[in-house]
Amino acid sequence: MKNWTHSGSLNQEPSAREEKHRALARRAAAEGIVLLKNEGVLPLKTSAPVALFGSGAEKTVKGGIGSGDVNNRENISVYKGIKEAGASVTNEDWIRDYDKRYKEAREEWKEKILEDARHVQNPFDAYAANPFVLPDGRRITEQDLRGAGAAVYVISRISGEGKDRRLEEGDYYLSVREREDLLYLDRFQIPLILILNSGGPVELTDILQETENIGAVLNISQPGQEGGRAAADVLFGRAVPEGKLTATWARRYEDHPFPDTYSYLNGDLEKEVYREGIYVGYRYFDSFGVRPLWSFGYGLSYTSFRLELCGLKQEQSSVRAEISVTNTGKRYAGREVVQVYVSLPHSGIEKERRRLAGFAKTERLAPGESGKVKIEIPQKQLAVFSQERQAWITEAGTYGVWIGNSLDSAVLSAYLTVARETVIEETHRICPLEEPFEELSRGEAGDREKEKKETGIPVCEFVPCREPEIKNVQPAEEQYPVEELIPLLYGNITAGASTLGSAGIRVPGSAGETTEALEEKYRIRSLIMADGPAGLRLRQSYQVDRETDSVYGTGVLGSLENGFLEPMEIHENADTYYQYCTAFPTGTALAQTWDTELLAEFGRAVAEEMREFHVDLWLAPGMNIQRNPLCGRNFEYFSEDPFLSGTLASAVTRGVQEHTGCGVTIKHFACNNQEDNRMGVDSCVSERALREIYLRGFEIAVKESAPAAIMSSYNLINGVHAANSRDLCTVAAREEWGFKGVIMSDWNTTVPEDGSIPWKCAAAGNDIIMPGNRRDDADIRRAYERGELSEKQIRECAGRILALVKKLNEETQK
């Protein structure tokens, strides 16, 4: 074990690492920007002045709030990015006035949070219940537009942990002022560019129909600390757009399946019934013929590309597609995302119309230049899950292979034929429904599709095979007395307050630690965990007493918003340490790059900061399915599609874990698809939908990249808390997928009276309860004494934790 040193630096100046990661954050943000509309308006010329408006113009939102926030050094706004690019802004007075209004609104919000925090047990609840709402700016005048060649309007939204977005003006819908502003700007007959700075969709259908001059729409999502520079790079053509949507943007919220029953809208936050079954996101829109505003995988460029399928070839348990891509434009070099979808036989088990089966991003191609990509289609993307037979099955019949740069543009390009049905994997029955319900069905519409057949399409035979058997021996620690192993089953309760942002003690602002109880006697150190997934969430700065060498702590509010709500108290006889982490783009923004190499590079950058700040486990990536656009935490997650989510999470995991001593914690396992009553809602979902949609991404990540840890979710699944579910933690993750790492709970899952039961966490295979409290210890010991929790179960959980401590410690020592 190494001697401990304080994390961070006494030097407040930007480090070389900060500058390097700043450049990566900018590049990643630009690559994830999606050009949704462009009628010859973009790119702009820096020589033409622009008028800039909207709540996010000078206060661009870098990311969401809560544990997914990052306390970074500086955020670059769209305004600053445009000015640095060399363009002039005609309405500087409007920008200055907005800054004043913003500061006043922040102070009012701060007072409300501090007052509400006095009346709740956990101050974070007051914070989560009252997300800051960006104020309106003053009304736009003709003077603001004088000399402008174009107007740019930034629509921003803030959302986060603990509360879902609202189906209200100023959130999912445009605010009254935003609508008035856009209609007013439209009157001036100059190009109008909308920039969407939100973690999820904002409904634009009406305003696009009612205006004539909205010539371009850019979705920058929540692009991290360098978002303003990245936006300017795209606006002025220094970067060519290459992002693609990872979720369907509906014309109307009501176009989603069962729109009135999501989260708080159904009036019952105790139970959420997943009646749509497998028809989530584009699977619903595509299967039921509901036309979206912008489809899954959609995104424009400043150039154009031609895609041609060169051939298909079977490679053991997969199909390899080779596709030629040509830049058919005349001016701009660019990159294209090639997407492969498959349509399955519509006999037998009912299925969605098409599903994503593979993708690849090209190298940068100059005008007229061609290149080839090879895309692997795993056989499991051709399979369906049968609840009745408890198996993944590749059915006999004809499979369509669709090639395109979005779902809607994909063209039927080849057929795969499977001569006979093959069971590729047998499973165990998990998470049975307490009360059956009727799931959405295509009925006769799905049956009719089996009769459609194109002629002149290449045909390739495919022979499925059994997936490899999983052999997973779980370590059971035998050399220590079982009573001394019990503290491993919960977090380091000596750290004090077990609330968000204050559970870690060795690294200020870290999320928590495993126990120190075995350190003095057995030299088994604690593992330090930090939140994510847009970077490390630590305190930006902290103080250490020079005489005692002890850290001055802070509460929950002090760890949020860079200390705005509760500023750090300054002590005279103390040294100040600085922990400037990088705020990278959020999960959705990164996913919109569809670039696995970039996400691996992002992972390596995070790992570099983990090593710098003594962090062992990063509580990321987040990979829950974007089931509904109102989920308050969608910005942390990759997509509505499990294959894309799992593939990207695997890339991030590989990047992080290439660095010795660093591990990821994929989360939240599983069905954490809403934030309202997230600790008590019962997600009622069929086993087929659970396996094909909500577990599939986790399965891919486990099998492809072996993450160090998994975090179980707060919610129940079919009546059982995820952290108490042996079906999830042991049967699915370990016995079926071969997961060898540690499973931990989300923070304080055992605190509510109706929350997870501590001893049942260990019995289920949820190894660690985080951040840990004395009631967890007492409950586990009572269960052991009563024989409800066996010695074998304790030793298995402890064995996995000790194996991870040993692994990360040995890697760090190298």
Side-chain angles (χ1 to χ4, degrees):
M1 288 177 56
K2 63 180 181 181
N3 294 325
W4 185 258
T5 57
H6 293 295
S7 62
S9 170
L10 293 169
N11 183 0
Q12 195 177 6
E13 295 303 311
S15 66
R17 184 269 305 161
E18 279 189 79
E19 294 303 320
K20 181 176 69 171
H21 290 181
R22 177 188 294 274
L24 173 60
R26 178 176 181 171
R27 177 160 54 89
E31 193 174 324
I33 290 174
V34 184
L35 180 60
L36 296 171
K37 179 180 180 180
N38 189 24
E39 297 178 344
V41 172
L42 296 179
L44 299 173
K45 295 180 178 179
T46 55
S47 58
V50 297
L52 177 63
F53 305 100
S55 57
E58 206 271 324
K59 302 299 177 185
T60 310
V61 177
K62 76 175 191 292
I65 62 172
S67 62
D69 196 6
V70 179
N71 295 314
N72 56 298
R73 182 188 292 268
E74 179 188 20
N75 299 318
I76 304 300
S77 67
V78 171
Y79 168 69
K80 187 169 184 178
I82 287 175
K83 294 284 285 184
E84 286 184 359
S88 62
V89 175
T90 62
N91 57 315
E92 297 280 359
D93 287 345
W94 191 97
I95 297 292
R96 285 191 291 270
D97 181 78
Y98 188 85
D99 183 65
K100 179 182 176 182
R101 292 167 186 258
Y102 176 87
K103 289 175 180 176
E104 290 172 352
R106 289 282 285 178
E107 289 298 326
E108 290 178 10
W109 173 71
K110 176 180 177 178
E111 290 177 10
K112 177 171 176 51
I113 298 296
L114 294 178
E115 175 59 29
D116 288 1
R118 296 187 182 99
H119 306 289
V120 294
Q121 183 178 1
N122 184 352
F124 181 76
D125 293 338
Y127 174 75
N130 298 285
F132 179 67
V133 177
L134 291 159
D136 290 329
R138 69 161 169 79
R139 292 194 179 277
I140 301 169
T141 67
E142 188 171 348
Q143 179 66 30
D144 294 321
L145 291 157
R146 187 161 296 172
V152 177
Y153 197 96
V154 186
I155 297 171
S156 295
R157 296 291 185 267
I158 295 174
S159 61
E161 186 174 7
K163 185 177 182 178
D164 288 317
R165 292 180 62 194
R166 264 35 192 178
L167 204 60
E168 299 171 353
E169 292 175 342
D171 194 344
Y172 190 78
Y173 301 120
L174 293 177
S175 70
V176 172
R177 175 59 60 80
E178 287 168 339
R179 180 178 167 78
E180 290 174 350
D181 285 348
L182 292 172
L183 290 174
Y184 178 77
L185 290 169
D186 189 56
R187 292 163 45 190
F188 288 86
Q189 300 296 309
I190 62 173
L192 177 54
I193 298 124
L194 284 188
I195 293 182
L196 303 173
N197 172 214
S198 172
V202 175
E203 192 166 297
L204 299 174
T205 302
D206 287 341
I207 200 66
L208 292 176
Q209 292 174 346
E210 295 168 8
T211 55
E212 296 179 356
N213 296 297
I214 297 179
V217 181
L218 275 182
N219 173 28
I220 68 170
S221 192
Q222 291 179 336
Q225 67 181 46
E226 294 295 304
R229 291 184 175 121
D233 288 341
V234 173
L235 282 173
F236 297 109
R238 295 177 179 177
V240 172
E242 54 189 73
K244 305 286 183 179
L245 291 178
T246 61
T248 306
W249 281 49
R251 292 179 176 272
R252 309 280 181 192
Y253 174 75
E254 291 74 22
D255 290 343
H256 291 276
F258 304 103
D260 298 334
T261 64
Y262 175 75
S263 184
Y264 63 90
L265 294 173
N266 66 20
D268 178 13
L269 286 174
E270 299 301 314
K271 183 174 290 189
E272 181 78 5
V273 182
Y274 289 41
R275 296 188 187 279
E276 71 279 4
I278 63 170
Y279 296 110
V280 177
Y282 72 83
R283 286 169 165 80
Y284 171 76
F285 287 84
D286 190 42
S287 299
F288 287 85
V290 180
R291 192 161 62 99
L293 184 62
W294 292 300
S295 74
F296 178 82
Y298 176 81
L300 301 173
S301 175
Y302 292 156
T303 188
S304 56
F305 298 91
R306 182 177 65 249
L307 311 181
E308 295 178 342
L309 177 65
C310 301
L312 295 174
K313 182 181 180 182
Q314 178 160 357
E315 301 277 349
Q316 293 185 326
S317 60
S318 66
V319 176
R320 178 159 292 183
E322 185 171 323
I323 295 125
S324 172
V325 184
T326 302
N327 183 342
T328 56
K330 296 181 179 180
R331 183 176 180 185
Y332 293 99
R335 301 176 70 195
E336 181 62 290
V337 177
V338 183
Q339 303 163 39
V340 178
Y341 298 87
V342 293
S343 51
L344 279 62
H346 284 273
S347 57
I349 299 172
E350 181 178 334
K351 320 167 183 67
E352 70 272 33
R353 180 168 178 256
R354 291 179 293 183
R355 68 175 63 157
L356 182 68
F359 65 92
K361 197 161 189 175
T362 68
E363 297 296 324
R364 193 165 307 282
L365 299 174
E369 185 181 6
S370 296
K372 289 184 179 180
V373 295
K374 294 180 179 179
I375 298 175
E376 183 180 3
I377 304 172
Q379 70 172 2
K380 204 161 186 178
Q381 288 304 107
L382 306 176
V384 292
F385 178 75
S386 169
Q387 290 184 197
E388 292 71 27
R389 296 168 62 180
Q390 277 300 305
W392 286 89
I393 299 168
T394 304
E395 294 180 328
T398 302
Y399 294 70
V401 179
W402 303 68
I403 309 294
N405 59 7
S406 72
L407 176 63
D408 278 2
S409 74
V411 175
L412 181 61
S413 303
Y415 288 117
L416 292 174
T417 60
V418 175
R420 59 179 179 273
E421 178 191 277
T422 303
V423 174
I424 64 171
E425 182 182 329
E426 293 176 344
T427 62
H428 307 80
R429 192 172 301 279
I430 60 170
C431 305
L433 288 170
E434 291 185 299
E435 298 178 11
F437 57 86
E438 185 175 349
E439 282 187 311
L440 185 62
S441 171
R442 296 176 68 192
E444 294 181 1
D447 293 338
R448 285 196 297 271
E449 284 197 6
K450 66 185 179 183
E451 301 170 3
K452 298 177 181 179
K453 189 75 179 287
E454 300 287 342
T455 58
I457 300 291
V459 178
C460 174
E461 292 185 6
F462 178 69
V463 181
C465 61
R466 295 278 295 196
E467 293 280 305
E469 295 292 329
I470 297 296
K471 296 180 180 180
N472 189 20
V473 178
Q474 295 300 319
E477 188 53 63
E478 302 292 346
Q479 69 183 94
Y480 307 105
V482 67
E483 292 83 0
E484 294 189 20
L485 293 175
I486 288 175
L488 286 167
L489 307 189
Y490 47 82
N492 193 14
I493 60 177
T494 61
S498 59
T499 45
L500 181 138
S502 60
I505 187 170
R506 293 194 175 189
V507 177
S510 60
E513 305 167 10
T514 58
T515 186
E516 291 177 317
L518 282 69
E519 186 166 306
E520 184 174 348
K521 184 175 181 179
Y522 296 114
R523 306 289 288 168
I524 297 171
R525 71 176 181 92
S526 61
L527 296 178
I528 296 168
M529 308 170 190
D531 278 322
L536 298 185
R537 193 176 73 85
L538 304 174
R539 284 172 60 186
Q540 192 183 78
S541 61
Y542 66 96
Q543 288 199 305
V544 176
D545 188 279
R546 293 193 186 103
E547 294 182 2
T548 64
D549 200 38
S550 59
V551 174
Y552 288 101
T554 188
V556 175
L557 297 181
S559 68
L560 299 166
E561 303 275 342
N562 271 346
F564 172 74
L565 295 167
E566 193 174 82
M568 180 177 70
E569 184 179 355
I570 303 300
H571 302 270
E572 290 185 3
N573 189 35
D575 292 320
T576 302
Y577 285 80
Y578 300 94
Q579 301 180 123
Y580 289 113
C581 299
T582 308
F584 292 97
T586 58
T588 301
L590 286 170
Q592 287 173 177
T593 70
W594 292 63
D595 189 338
T596 55
E597 289 303 315
L598 177 68
L599 266 73
E601 186 178 357
F602 158 68
R604 288 190 287 272
V606 170
E608 190 176 341
E609 296 188 19
M610 290 172 69
R611 292 297 300 270
E612 179 178 338
F613 296 114
H614 309 322
V615 172
D616 302 292
L617 288 173
W618 183 42
L619 304 182
M623 50 185 307
N624 290 108
I625 294 299
Q626 296 176 359
R627 175 178 174 244
N628 183 285
L630 298 183
C631 177
R633 217 165 168 181
N634 272 351
F635 67 92
E636 291 191 26
Y637 308 140
F638 294 128
S639 175
E640 64 189 20
D641 181 76
F643 178 76
L644 182 59
S645 298
T647 303
L648 297 178
S650 296
V652 175
T653 299
R654 286 193 297 272
V656 171
Q657 295 185 173
E658 282 178 16
H659 277 250
T660 58
C662 297
V664 307
T665 309
I666 59 174
K667 66 181 186 182
H668 308 85
F669 188 55
C671 296
N672 189 162
N673 305 117
Q674 72 181 64
E675 287 300 297
D676 281 28
N677 193 32
R678 59 182 177 154
M679 298 185 78
V681 67
D682 185 2
S683 299
C684 303
V685 56
S686 70
E687 187 178 355
R688 182 185 177 195
L690 183 66
R691 285 188 179 274
E692 289 195 10
I693 305 296
Y694 301 102
L695 299 186
R696 180 75 178 119
F698 288 95
E699 177 187 4
I700 291 169
V702 166
K703 290 181 175 179
E704 290 190 358
S705 61
I710 295 174
M711 182 190 293
S712 59
S713 56
Y714 284 126
N715 53 281
L716 298 84
I717 298 178
N718 297 333
V720 180
H721 275 283
N724 288 166
S725 174
R726 186 178 184 278
D727 284 355
L728 282 182
C729 300
T730 296
V731 177
R734 294 195 170 100
E735 294 178 2
E736 293 185 2
W737 305 344
F739 178 62
K740 294 180 173 62
V742 164
I743 299 179
M744 69 180 73
S745 76
D746 206 339
W747 267 229
N748 294 314
T749 185
T750 59
V751 170
E753 289 186 6
D754 57 351
S756 302
I757 297 170
W759 74 265
K760 287 188 176 181
C761 290
N766 186 109
D767 306 305
I768 312 173
I769 301 167
M770 290 300 299
N773 61 65
R774 300 195 183 281
R775 284 175 295 173
D776 296 333
D777 178 85
D779 182 81
I780 291 170
R781 292 185 187 278
R782 282 196 302 269
Y784 174 58
E785 291 168 1
R786 293 194 301 261
E788 294 171 311
L789 183 64
S790 70
E791 179 175 337
K792 180 175 181 291
Q793 289 169 321
I794 293 172
R795 290 192 180 279
E796 285 181 346
C797 289
R800 289 186 285 264
I801 299 162
L802 291 172
L804 183 58
V805 172
K806 181 180 179 182
K807 179 177 184 291
L808 295 181
N809 195 51
E810 287 179 349
E811 289 178 348
T812 305
Q813 299 296 323
K814 291 179 181 178

